Amino acid sequence: MRKITLLFICLILGIIGVSRLNAQGYTPPTMVYGLSLDGILATNDAHGSALDNTSITDGTYGMVWGRGASIYGKFGLGIRKNHRIALSASYLKMTHDDSGEIPFFNFSPKEPYTNYDILSGSVGYEYAFNPRCKNKQYIGFAITANYIIPNEGMISTYQFDNSFRMGLQVTSGYEWTLDKAQQYGLFIGLRYNLANIIGSTNGVGTMNDGSGEGGPTYWRRVGFLSLNLGFNFYTGVKPYRAK
């Protein structure tokens, strides 16, 4: 009887200990800072063959694969921090030569080729699921500002002046923390940026992406789908015990 009683007491103490352990938690982060490496696929009318030597007025923009990097900051709102204001800046390098290059890693294109630099900034909103947990998910949308630079040396029929466009972006991702204090973590995400919703223009020296006269007679959409692998820094995370 004493053994059963002792076993029962140990079981109760164990349950209490586990309950207290599970009650230990952390507050959601106030700020999230990070950087990512991005693998990019051109979509919509940006995606095309570098050997399509037709006029820029009629064809695509001859992009396929690219690479880039991003820095970002996210500010959590409210007590639960489910809602975030997100800011980011990205650099994209889109180089393509139709030689069957390995995606994202064409550093020495063969002629004929296309070669673009794109600077992109965004401001938007994110909704974070489980922001105080070790594993977190998010979805979001943003307004983007995009500066598209066609570099010298690429196929002449793809040349135009440096161009500024504004667009919309949707994002999603999965985050997980690495340390017990939940101050550092990794993430993997997807991002789609339709870069030229505002500012499309036709004419000599332009991208000819508008639907009016002098262009292709339809709105040519310039889109980028990217896979993002990054590292996060979480600030404002504090331990607490749930009552």
Side-chain angles (χ1 to χ4, degrees):
M1 185 66 181
R2 289 181 179 178
K3 291 182 179 180
I4 296 177
T5 302
L6 181 59
L7 180 62
F8 182 76
I9 293 173
C10 292
L11 180 61
I12 295 297
L13 292 176
I15 293 174
I16 293 174
V18 171
S19 298
R20 288 184 176 180
L21 181 62
N22 290 337
Q24 174 70 59
Y26 292 87
T27 61
T30 302
M31 290 288 297
V32 182
Y33 302 97
L35 54 89
S36 69
L37 298 178
D38 311 324
I40 304 154
L41 172 66
T43 64
N44 305 99
D45 300 301
H47 187 108
S49 170
L51 296 179
D52 182 9
N53 241 359
T54 59
S55 169
I56 189 78
T57 302
D58 303 319
T60 69
Y61 295 93
M63 306 181 198
V64 180
W65 299 107
R67 58 191 178 274
S70 301
I71 58 174
Y72 50 86
K74 305 176 183 182
F75 177 70
L77 304 175
I79 297 176
R80 298 181 181 275
K81 311 299 184 189
N82 292 100
H83 307 282
R84 296 172 174 172
I85 300 300
L87 304 173
S88 73
S90 302
Y91 167 72
L92 292 70
K93 182 70 170 180
M94 304 297 298
T95 305
H96 176 57
D97 63 9
D98 277 345
S99 66
E101 72 267 23
I102 299 174
F104 317 137
F105 294 102
N106 189 349
F107 296 99
S108 300
K110 301 177 178 61
E111 293 186 355
Y113 64 90
T114 56
N115 185 9
Y116 299 89
D117 289 333
I118 302 167
L119 305 177
S120 181
S122 72
V123 55
Y125 164 82
E126 281 186 2
Y127 182 83
F129 302 90
N130 309 315
R132 69 180 185 87
C133 298
K134 291 183 66 68
N135 299 323
K136 322 167 194 289
Q137 307 83 38
Y138 67 87
I139 57 174
F141 65 89
I143 297 172
T144 65
N146 309 280
Y147 193 59
I148 303 172
I149 305 168
N151 291 299
E152 295 183 2
M154 72 175 186
I155 303 172
S156 61
T157 52
Y158 287 94
Q159 287 288 353
F160 52 85
D161 295 335
N162 298 349
S163 301
F164 177 79
R165 300 289 187 269
M166 295 191 68
L168 288 176
Q169 179 173 276
V170 292
T171 58
S172 66
Y174 185 90
E175 307 172 8
W176 62 96
T177 55
L178 300 175
D179 62 321
K180 184 178 179 180
Q182 298 192 24
Q183 295 182 341
Y184 308 98
L186 300 175
F187 95 95
I188 181 170
L190 286 174
R191 180 172 65 210
Y192 173 71
N193 178 16
L194 183 54
N196 67 331
I197 293 179
I198 297 176
S200 58
T201 306
N202 297 329
V204 178
T206 74
M207 289 180 63
N208 275 295
D209 54 344
S211 58
E213 295 182 0
T217 70
Y218 64 94
W219 170 37
R220 289 201 294 178
R221 298 168 178 83
V222 177
F224 304 99
L225 178 66
S226 62
L227 174 65
N228 319 116
L229 302 175
F231 188 84
N232 287 341
F233 302 88
Y234 301 96
T235 66
V237 179
K238 299 178 181 179
Y240 77 96
R241 290 190 181 276
K243 297 181 180 179

